[in-house]
Amino acid sequence: MIQLILLAVHIAAGSASLASAGVALVTAKGGRWHVLAGRVYAVGMTVVFLTAVPLAVLGASTFLFLIALFSFYLVFAGWRFARNRQRRAHPVDWIAVSAIGVTGLAMWGYAVVIALDGSSQWITLLLFGGIAIALGLADARFHWKQPGGARRVSRHLTNMMAGTIATITAVTVVNVDMDPVWVPWILPTVVITPLIVWWNVRVLRRARSS
């Protein structure tokens, strides 16, 4: 019964997050609706994380626990970059960056464990672990150098879009049956990552030309 309740809340929060992410993407950046949608998204993803952890523990799933940590960092870091207009890193930012680095390494370590057991999901953990470490290093570099405002927007955009990928991935995994099993886990990342790169280039070019 507890698992069913947690799962229902988890799905509802994930659905709200996905809908609000869509609103945030199509509304004017920094505008009222964009900010409101971003807040709903952040709250929804926090609920997703708070329900995913006990679901992973109750199901004895190290894999899902690591994915939950990874997904929550993306949203938390994206929210922090939106809020921290002074671009000065706080202790919580350094703790978060350290946590995602450890999570990425844990993903790689667990990838080895499940690969030896014959699970093809090691591919998912290998990819997500690399992304976690790369994003953690990029965010740490920002916190250390404290560059211009366009870079802050870029980091906000990257993390929030990556969090959106995590949400879409959850929907894909639940509703799409593909073989091998790791394909629906990485498909949204492969499809949407080029959009993140393009959007970042656009933001930085616009900042340089202004």
Side-chain angles (χ1 to χ4, degrees):
M1 179 61 72
I2 293 176
Q3 285 180 291
L4 288 175
I5 294 173
L6 288 172
L7 184 59
V9 175
H10 182 82
I11 293 172
S15 299
S17 297
L18 189 58
S20 59
V23 174
L25 285 173
V26 300
T27 51
K29 306 303 174 281
R32 178 184 176 186
W33 287 107
H34 178 81
V35 172
L36 179 60
R39 288 174 179 169
V40 172
Y41 177 74
V43 171
M45 288 299 290
T46 300
V47 175
V48 167
F49 170 71
L50 293 176
T51 51
V53 170
L55 283 170
V57 172
L58 290 171
S61 176
T62 303
F63 176 85
L64 292 179
F65 178 74
L66 292 172
I67 296 295
L69 291 176
F70 171 64
S71 300
F72 180 67
Y73 171 80
L74 300 175
V75 178
F76 177 78
W79 175 75
R80 283 291 302 149
F81 283 121
R83 297 280 295 177
N84 190 9
R85 296 182 181 275
Q86 290 75 32
R87 304 188 300 278
R88 295 193 185 114
H90 293 257
V92 68
D93 297 313
W94 289 111
I95 292 171
V97 165
S98 301
I100 195 59
V102 172
T103 300
L105 293 174
M107 285 180 167
W108 280 353
Y110 195 60
V112 174
V113 172
I114 64 175
L116 293 175
D117 285 339
S119 172
S120 63
Q121 284 287 34
W122 68 267
I123 298 174
T124 303
L125 287 177
L126 184 67
L127 175 63
F128 283 12
I131 294 173
I133 292 172
L135 286 176
L137 289 174
D139 290 349
R141 184 172 180 269
F142 178 92
H143 295 323
W144 182 261
K145 293 194 171 184
Q146 300 175 8
R151 291 287 179 183
R152 180 185 66 84
V153 174
S154 174
R155 297 316 306 157
H156 165 68
L157 170 67
T158 297
N159 282 282
M160 282 301 198
M161 285 294 290
T164 302
I165 291 176
T167 308
I168 295 173
T169 298
V171 175
T172 305
V173 169
V174 171
N175 294 284
V176 178
D177 186 15
M178 299 181 69
D179 189 36
V181 294
W182 52 267
V183 172
W185 279 95
I186 70 171
L187 188 60
T189 299
V190 173
V191 173
I192 301 176
T193 296
L195 175 61
I196 297 177
V197 174
W198 171 80
W199 210 330
N200 270 293
V201 170
R202 185 182 177 201
V203 168
L204 296 176
R205 280 181 179 174
R206 184 178 297 176
R208 283 195 293 267
S209 63
S210 61

